[in-house]
Amino acid sequence: MENKTIQSIIIPVAGMTCAHCARSIEKFVSELPGVKSAVVNFANEQVAITYDASQTGLPQFIAAIREAGFDIAPETYSPEREFKRVKKKFIISAILTTIIMLGSMAHMISGLRAIPNQVINLVLFLLTTPVLFWAGSPFLRGFWSATKHKTADMNTLVTVGTVSAYLYSTIATFYSLFDVHPSHSAGSMHLSANIYFDTTATIITLILLGKLLESRAKRQTSSAIRKLTALQPKSARVIRNETEVDLPLDEILVGDIIIVRPGEKIPVDGIIIDGTSAVDESMLTGESIPVEKQVGDAVIGATINIHGVLKVRATKVGKETMLAQIVALVQQTQLQKPSIQRFADRVAGIFVPLVISIASITFLLWLLLGPKPSLGFALMNFVSVLIIACPCALGLATPTAVIVGTGKGAELGILIRNIDSLEKAQQIDTVVFDKTGTLTQGKLQVTDFVVNFGSTDANTTPSLQTPETDLLVLVASLENASEHPISDAIVTYAVKQGIKPVEVAEFKVDPGLGLSGIVNGRKILIGNKKFMELNEIKIFESSPDDGSSRFIKAIDDLSAQGKTIMVIAVDGKPAGIIAVADTLKPTAKEVIAQLESLRLTTILLTGDNQKTATAIANQLGMNRIIAEVLPQEKANEIKHLQQQGHIVAFVGDGINDAPALTQADIGLALSSGSDIAIESADITLITNDLKSVPIAIQLSRETMKTIKQNLFWAFIYNLIGIPIAAGVLYPFFGILLNPIYAAAAMAFSSVSVITNSLRLRKFRAQTPDPGI
């Protein structure tokens, strides 16, 4: 039984700077009673909490977040406003830093050589102070908050490094206690002055530049969601009290009649009650060709009415509309973490304390064993280790790729509901398709209508003035009295040919066999071979030279194609055949070829008999069939494939195939309109176009590939950068890493991870190689 007290909430958090921050928030919130899960998305700066509302709630969450050293983002907060704030700090910091850098090279500038060093140093102190304490204030506040809560994060590294250099330089400036004049040679670090104000200022400026670029890139990662949200019109023209009025969208009610003129966006989900038009649904399905709509058809909010005035009765408004559900679903998915992130989270948990330990050991070793002046070398290498370490890259590696990948999927009509499916996608070797409604249209259609042209003798065949037309009248009239799906298909076909069914007498149904009745005074039988045999209709006992062999061959050929054959008898004689089939979707064969080109095995899973299944598989180019499977047995067939060692994706219609979708390693549910929220599928395809299947698999693979690239870069960067900053190359090559370069490398690390994720915005599905 569902627990109605279990709820979910998403809270925006201010002040996060790295993966360690996210881990701290998760820890504090998760410890609250009643919290089932707490997941922080560092890239989105949000925490998603699932909890028991009878035990805890928002006030406790806010208190826990603040206890962790962070705060709730105010309502006035926006990424754009934060970007402008960081930009202002960076510009002012960059101007001051440029002056500081020039002052640090005063001995190289002719106009400044005459100024005493003490004066230059005092000016540099005055210029560096606002850079550190104003421009760098976010890092200082973060450091203080983390220290109060006995934790450490990126702010700790930046603050300890820059403040150490600042304090050292300040003491040297005011008390002249140190006289550091290290020699320098090719490949060594330049330490020609006894102050490092330029180091402090440049580090702060470069890190602000990195944050600025990171902020802009992070905004781009979520651009897909902003685009979807912007699609919704702000108002609608509604008929109220027999008068047309324009109302804000939040005032529209279910049942309201809305007027949509040509070129306007349809404001809500609804049903057309008057008018015809073509509707551009490309925002939802990615399909550029408009869809013809008429009375009774469903329309979706934010799609565009191309021509004709429509009257639409609202069926879903506000958060219930498809667009709102898509946005909510994508946002929820973006807050999930794939299992690959767990390792990165564990590393992030010990990363900062480990870096501080390495930096401290570096300082002591250089102080005790380094060349003269050992204190200067020790301090600079200490700062370099702290500054080059980048926990941000670890925190951004997964969420940025997930945000961009799922956003791109939403643009293509592909909703990735389960993030763990991204990891499984790269391992898939088998794609299993349900037949009805997935590979086929899901609706029977007449494919062939053949009159028995074997003999024209009135004693052997009915006398028909116009054989096809007259016979179709008889068939349609009899079938019109039945409610069987095959009958519906035949009547629909006849009506399209201009046939009007007439009255039927003595109508009778033999379940599983056929129909009989009197039409226009003639005895009509329509059914399968067994039905004809029971009624002593001899189909195959004609002279081979009377032409009936062609009629028999037609029956055999159509049966071999997997079609359902209905024999027609008039007044006791075989008069024709009519074949019905659930026709393949236009893109089915192309999609199978595309999956095969991706080196995936495709399997047809169907309840049809082996002969019919084989015929369909041959048309599609599929070489493996699992036939005569009852709906409740589909999940067992998927399980059997998995037991054989296959990683299986199952593609179904999302309703009858729920057990199989759940059992598969990845379930892809084709959906139409209001059916998008299929809980059993990992990936929901909004449109019924099969082309979305290979696109979804390729997008999942590419997203996972990007995550791995990001994590690899984040780890390798730190594994290589930290030892170099500590000075491991100095004994062999005389190379040391200036803290300024360390700061530039750190800023580049985070930006490079986000930039790599942004490449997913240009994702294009591969097309099959014609040579394959």
Side-chain angles (χ1 to χ4, degrees):
M1 183 176 178
E2 183 181 359
N3 187 347
K4 294 184 179 179
T5 64
I6 301 299
Q7 298 181 11
S8 297
I9 188 172
I10 296 176
I11 302 174
V13 180
M16 287 193 293
T17 56
C18 66
H20 193 275
C21 303
R23 188 174 175 83
S24 296
I25 294 171
E26 289 177 349
K27 178 178 180 295
F28 276 84
V29 175
S30 296
E31 290 175 350
L32 292 173
V35 172
K36 305 300 179 183
S37 68
V39 179
V40 173
N41 187 310
F42 173 43
N44 268 347
E45 299 180 280
Q46 295 176 329
V47 54
I49 307 170
T50 301
Y51 63 100
D52 187 338
S54 65
Q55 298 184 52
T56 190
L58 182 59
Q60 289 79 17
F61 302 150
I62 294 175
I65 292 169
R66 286 175 175 164
E67 186 180 354
F70 305 92
D71 209 341
I72 307 303
E75 292 184 4
T76 55
Y77 174 84
S78 69
E80 289 74 16
R81 183 172 297 180
E82 178 66 12
F83 178 80
K84 291 178 180 178
R85 186 185 68 83
V86 176
K87 184 178 180 180
K88 177 182 177 181
K89 284 181 177 290
F90 165 71
I91 291 174
I92 295 175
S93 178
I95 293 172
L96 293 175
T97 298
T98 301
I99 299 173
I100 292 168
M101 292 291 290
L102 292 173
S104 299
M105 296 184 292
H107 62 287
M108 299 172 60
I109 302 174
S110 59
L112 300 178
R113 288 173 185 167
I115 302 176
N117 283 342
Q118 291 83 353
V119 175
I120 293 291
N121 292 346
L122 183 60
V123 172
L124 294 181
F125 163 76
L126 295 174
L127 293 173
T128 303
T129 299
V131 173
L132 176 60
F133 293 100
W134 177 74
S137 60
F139 310 121
L140 301 179
R141 285 197 300 268
F143 164 73
W144 177 245
S145 178
T147 303
K148 283 194 303 181
H149 295 91
K150 298 178 181 180
T151 62
D153 55 23
M154 190 205 79
N155 296 304
T156 305
L157 301 179
V158 173
T159 300
V160 172
T162 54
V163 170
S164 296
Y166 176 82
L167 290 177
Y168 176 93
S169 303
T170 301
I171 293 172
T173 297
F174 284 96
Y175 298 100
S176 301
L177 296 179
F178 306 107
D179 184 18
V180 182
H181 296 289
S183 60
H184 58 89
S185 58
S188 68
M189 181 176 64
H190 180 60
L191 290 172
S192 60
N194 60 351
I195 61 167
Y196 306 106
F197 288 126
D198 57 336
T199 299
T200 298
T202 305
I203 288 173
I204 293 294
T205 301
L206 286 174
I207 294 177
L208 283 174
L209 174 61
K211 288 296 177 185
L212 188 68
L213 297 174
E214 181 183 310
S215 175
R216 184 172 66 179
K218 282 163 68 174
R219 285 192 303 163
Q220 292 174 336
T221 63
S222 56
S223 61
I225 291 296
R226 292 198 301 274
K227 287 179 183 177
L228 286 173
T229 305
L231 290 172
Q232 192 73 52
K234 305 299 181 185
S235 63
R237 189 173 292 104
V238 184
I239 298 178
R240 291 276 178 90
N241 300 321
E242 300 183 356
T243 303
E244 292 185 19
V245 293
D246 288 328
L247 295 177
L249 214 58
D250 56 6
E251 294 184 20
I252 306 301
L253 305 174
V254 172
D256 276 343
I257 306 301
I258 298 168
I259 307 297
V260 186
R261 292 185 167 83
E264 294 182 341
K265 290 182 179 179
I266 299 171
V268 296
D269 295 0
I271 301 293
I272 296 174
I273 62 171
D274 185 42
T276 60
S277 181
V279 175
D280 180 1
E281 296 183 342
S282 58
M283 54 70 61
L284 183 72
T285 65
E287 177 56 59
S288 59
I289 301 175
V291 180
E292 295 295 329
K293 299 284 186 177
Q294 58 187 357
V295 173
D297 288 342
V299 290
I300 302 165
T303 56
I304 301 173
N305 178 27
I306 301 299
H307 58 76
V309 177
L310 296 177
K311 285 187 179 180
V312 177
R313 178 180 287 111
T315 56
K316 291 183 179 180
V317 299
K319 294 181 179 180
E320 299 301 317
T321 63
M322 180 182 292
L323 180 62
Q325 289 180 16
I326 291 173
V327 171
L329 179 60
V330 174
Q331 289 176 329
Q332 291 170 10
T333 303
Q334 290 176 347
L335 283 165
Q336 296 177 19
K337 287 185 179 180
S339 58
I340 193 173
Q341 179 65 19
R342 294 168 194 160
F343 174 68
D345 285 347
R346 288 196 294 270
V347 173
I350 62 172
F351 184 84
V352 175
L354 180 62
V355 170
I356 293 175
S357 299
I358 294 172
S360 300
I361 293 172
T362 298
F363 180 84
L364 291 174
L365 289 176
W366 278 95
L367 184 64
L368 297 175
L369 306 176
K372 299 292 183 179
S374 59
L375 179 58
F377 278 104
L379 178 63
M380 288 298 95
N381 290 325
F382 171 76
V383 172
S384 292
V385 170
L386 293 175
I387 297 303
I388 201 170
C390 188
C392 299
L394 289 172
L396 292 167
T398 297
T400 52
V402 168
I403 289 171
V404 181
T406 54
K408 184 64 179 181
E411 289 180 4
L412 298 172
I414 299 167
L415 303 184
I416 301 173
R417 303 173 56 86
N418 185 343
I419 289 302
D420 283 335
S421 64
L422 293 175
E423 293 183 77
K424 297 175 184 175
Q426 61 183 340
Q427 303 170 357
I428 288 175
D429 56 40
T430 303
V431 182
V432 180
F433 284 88
D434 171 58
K435 189 201 79 171
T436 305
T438 302
L439 290 170
T440 67
Q441 302 282 8
K443 185 177 181 181
L444 291 172
Q445 296 180 5
V446 172
T447 59
D448 303 88
F449 178 54
V450 182
V451 173
N452 184 0
F453 39 74
S455 173
T456 57
D457 188 288
N459 294 322
T460 58
T461 60
S463 177
L464 303 173
Q465 293 179 351
T466 308
E468 291 85 354
T469 303
D470 288 1
L471 183 59
L472 191 55
V473 170
L474 301 177
V475 170
S477 299
L478 184 63
E479 296 287 359
N480 193 47
S482 171
E483 296 180 353
H484 195 279
I486 291 178
S487 299
D488 291 340
I490 294 173
V491 171
T492 299
Y493 171 78
V495 170
K496 288 182 178 179
Q497 309 303 313
I499 301 297
K500 292 183 179 179
V502 298
E503 292 294 326
V504 178
E506 300 180 23
F507 176 76
K508 181 183 178 182
V509 177
D510 287 293
L513 297 171
L515 312 173
S516 62
I518 304 296
V519 180
N520 291 339
R522 313 187 82 158
K523 178 70 173 179
I524 310 298
L525 300 175
I526 304 176
N528 56 28
K529 178 182 177 181
K530 186 175 181 180
F531 184 58
M532 294 297 143
E533 291 173 349
L534 291 173
N535 286 276
E536 299 182 349
I537 306 296
K538 298 179 180 180
I539 305 173
F540 305 113
E541 293 185 6
S542 300
S543 172
D545 58 359
D546 67 359
S548 63
S549 58
R550 294 172 60 195
F551 179 64
I552 297 169
K553 186 176 184 300
I555 294 176
D556 291 340
D557 290 345
L558 294 173
S559 297
Q561 295 173 26
K563 297 177 180 179
T564 300
I565 308 300
M566 308 299 292
V567 179
I568 307 162
V570 179
D571 295 335
K573 302 295 182 179
I577 54 175
I578 191 162
V580 297
D582 187 358
T583 56
L584 293 172
K585 290 183 176 177
T587 58
K589 186 174 182 179
E590 175 188 346
V591 166
I592 298 301
Q594 190 167 359
L595 292 172
E596 295 284 350
S597 73
L598 295 173
R599 293 178 173 79
L600 296 171
T601 299
T602 55
I603 299 177
L604 175 64
L605 182 65
T606 177
D608 289 341
N609 59 54
Q610 190 70 31
K611 186 175 183 180
T612 299
T614 300
I616 292 172
N618 289 339
Q619 293 179 54
L620 291 168
M622 301 174 77
N623 52 22
R624 189 167 178 187
I625 304 159
I626 303 177
E628 301 179 20
V629 179
L630 297 174
Q632 61 270 26
E633 296 174 349
K634 290 181 180 179
N636 288 334
E637 294 293 341
I638 299 297
K639 187 176 182 179
H640 182 62
L641 289 169
Q642 291 169 326
Q643 290 171 344
Q644 294 174 0
H646 296 291
I647 307 299
V648 182
F650 178 76
V651 186
D653 62 17
I655 302 172
N656 299 325
D657 300 318
L661 286 164
T662 302
Q663 177 63 45
D665 295 287
I666 296 182
L668 295 99
L670 291 171
S671 174
S672 58
S674 61
D675 232 356
I676 67 165
I678 302 173
E679 297 296 334
S680 52
D682 300 303
I683 299 175
T684 300
L685 311 175
I686 299 175
T687 172
N688 274 326
D689 191 344
L690 282 170
K691 288 183 179 179
S692 295
V693 174
I695 293 174
I697 292 175
Q698 290 181 70
L699 177 60
S700 297
R701 285 180 173 181
E702 198 63 28
T703 303
M704 191 60 203
K705 178 181 175 182
T706 302
I707 290 174
K708 287 187 172 183
Q709 290 172 343
N710 288 348
L711 287 173
F712 175 81
W713 164 250
F715 280 113
I716 290 298
Y717 163 81
N718 285 291
L719 286 174
I720 296 176
I722 292 174
I724 291 176
V728 296
L729 297 180
Y730 185 79
F732 307 101
F733 307 104
I735 296 175
L736 289 177
L737 184 67
N738 191 302
I740 293 174
Y741 300 144
M746 193 266 266
F748 172 75
S749 177
S750 295
V751 174
S752 65
V753 164
I754 301 176
T755 303
N756 189 49
S757 296
L758 287 172
R759 293 189 306 109
L760 285 169
R761 296 199 304 172
K762 299 180 180 180
F763 165 80
R764 294 289 184 273
Q766 298 177 17
T767 54
D769 186 343
I772 294 179

